[in-house]
Amino acid sequence: MVTSTVPTTPRRARYTTVALKWAMAISGLLFVLFVLAHMYGNLKAFSGQEAFDSYAHSLRTLLYPYLPHEGFLWIQRVVLLVAVVVHVGAAVALWRRARTARPRRYVVSKRTAQTYSARTVRWGGVILLAFIIFHLLQFTTLTINVGGTFDSPYERLVAAFSHWWLYLVYLVAIVMLTMHVRHGVWSSLQTLGASDRTRQRAINVVAYLVAAALLVGFMLPPTAILLGFVN
């Protein structure tokens, strides 16, 4: 008696693709929560130097003595680093799977309806990664000094964004961030199960609201500094 066996490779590939999408969704949402908290901290600049510097110092002593000095910051950095590796790795793996599934371009191609942020999400991610490295070298490791060297985080912030070219660099990066987040929030909620058609509009509204909040919240302090309202 001859029995036929159904190949399991397509099924495994499908399960792996779903797992990669979940990995991207969860790691992406971790980033969204982090940037929202980071945006809140930046807005402390409007409360003055003492409030901003106190906030920056509190991050180093958060949960002390249960954690060592700067223990919370290092845990946060490790979690974010792992999330970056997972997010980028999953994105590259999904991109390669898509390329393998369609090795040749169609003779006649018709672009489906997509938002600009969805079409540029890959290159936006590359630009964001480059900016994050620059941002860390400037405000975390203090390897790059724009406007001078200061012990006060508030003074470093004001000195840096008093330069119009850095403001433009920051603006481009934040626009890329908001576009990436808009598409990412929408895609993540879809992946995590909120894909009911009746919820599509609500999901889209949430994605745009988060992106708009990040754009306004992150650009308010640099704009106020450049215009001289915060000095």
Side-chain angles (χ1 to χ4, degrees), residues 8 23 35 41 48 77 83 99 108-109 112 124 135 166-167 183 205 213 219:
T8 59
V35 294
R77 289 164 183 165
R99 295 274 295 186
V108 179
S109 62
T112 57
H135 196 63
L166 184 63
Y167 177 89
H183 177 73
V205 169
M219 290 311 303

Side-chain angles (χ1 to χ4, degrees), residues 108-175:
V108 179
S109 62
K110 184 176 181 180
R111 179 172 293 178
T112 57
Q114 283 184 313
T115 61
Y116 185 75
S117 58
R119 293 196 299 268
T120 59
V121 65
R122 188 177 300 117
W123 286 111
V126 174
I127 294 173
L128 277 178
L129 186 60
F131 173 75
I132 289 171
I133 295 172
F134 173 81
H135 196 63
L136 290 174
L137 291 174
Q138 182 182 7
F139 289 109
T140 301
T141 65
L142 308 183
T143 306
I144 299 175
N145 293 307
V146 179
T149 304
F150 302 94
D151 292 330
S152 166
Y154 178 87
E155 291 178 347
R156 286 198 299 271
L157 182 74
V158 173
F161 288 113
S162 297
H163 294 76
W164 64 268
W165 62 267
L166 184 63
Y167 177 89
L168 291 181
V169 170
Y170 194 76
L171 176 61
V172 171
I174 296 303
V175 169

